[in-house]
Structure formats: C-alpha cells, structure tokens
Amino acid sequence: MEITSKMIDELRQKLETAAKSRGYNFLDPEIVRISQKLDKLIVAHMRNGEKRP
C-alpha cells in the first residue's frame, strides 16, 4: 500500500509540473493522459483499502 501512495504522490507532482508548463490547459492531451493514469491509480488504491479490515 505504501508503494501505491508513493506512486500517487509522484504522479501528482508530474501532473502539477505538466499543468504549469502548459499554462494550466487541462485539455492538453499530455495533461489528460497523466490525469487519467492518476485517477486509475487512486481508484485502485481505494479498492485495495476496502478489502482490508
């Protein structure tokens, strides 16, 4: 679980950097791609957390 949290943080930072460099154009294909990847990772992290007591 710790690895997933670290991956989420790294991807979030990558998204922030990409957004800044593209003038916060959230429709930019690279930003959309990173955002979708981050969303999938967060959902997977949440689902794994539900399985634990």
Side-chain angles (χ1 to χ4, degrees), residues 5-41:
S5 294
K6 186 175 180 178
M7 290 171 64
I8 289 171
D9 286 340
E10 289 172 358
L11 205 52
R12 183 191 55 76
Q13 290 173 353
K14 184 176 180 179
L15 178 61
E16 184 177 348
T17 301
K20 284 179 184 178
S21 70
R22 288 166 174 79
Y24 295 97
N25 177 10
F26 292 105
L27 297 177
D28 183 278
E30 179 66 11
I31 293 176
V32 171
R33 185 188 66 75
I34 297 169
S35 180
Q36 288 173 339
K37 191 173 179 181
L38 182 59
D39 287 346
K40 289 177 185 178
L41 195 56

